[in-house]
Amino acid sequence: MAGRGASRPSPFAFATPLDPGETEAISLAVTSRASILLIDELKGRAVARSFGLAVGGLLGELLHSRLMDRIPSLGAEIQRLKSEAGFFIGGDIERFILSQAGEKSWGCPEIDDQ
């Protein structure tokens, strides 16, 4: 008998190897017929789409929140994600998403100099 917190095998066979969290999220979204799955990893997004799921990501949700004035600064939230959660975002993507919110980069040389 499996102990509490032990992972169980997914009923789905994925051709692309995913981490357990992505596997569980996709499996749950499919079985519960979720309207959208929030997932950021490219491999996971591709697998989710192969099951017919609509996917969204954290940056898109943050952008939407900023455009709806639910957060005061998209850049501040991105910086917080990077410093507190180790979130990775490429400079080009960060510049693009900030431009969509009408914001500039936060003076990070790796972003500003590209």
Side-chain angles (χ1 to χ4, degrees):
M1 186 160 140
R4 184 173 253 205
S7 64
R8 62 184 186 271
S10 170
F12 298 95
F14 300 140
T16 304
L18 301 175
D19 72 35
E22 290 171 320
T23 299
E24 186 68 22
I26 294 168
S27 299
L28 180 60
V30 170
T31 57
S32 67
R33 296 186 176 120
S35 60
I36 190 167
L37 173 65
L38 294 179
I39 187 168
D40 287 311
E41 295 293 330
L42 288 176
K43 289 190 294 184
R45 291 169 82 99
V47 170
R49 285 186 182 115
S50 76
F51 280 92
L53 294 169
V55 297
L58 178 58
L59 293 174
E61 292 303 311
L62 285 173
L63 174 60
H64 179 75
S65 294
R66 177 66 189 108
L67 294 175
M68 301 297 292
D69 286 327
R70 292 191 175 131
I71 59 173
S73 169
L74 178 60
E77 293 302 319
I78 290 173
Q79 290 307 311
R80 194 168 71 114
L81 279 169
K82 289 163 63 173
S83 66
E84 294 179 18
F87 188 81
F88 174 79
I89 177 175
D92 289 342
I93 294 171
E94 186 169 349
R95 277 192 303 280
F96 174 76
I97 206 86
L98 289 171
S99 74
Q100 298 302 298
E103 296 183 24
K104 299 220 183 260
S105 65
W106 278 54
C108 299
E110 69 271 11
I111 296 170
D112 293 333
D113 292 342
Q114 293 181 1

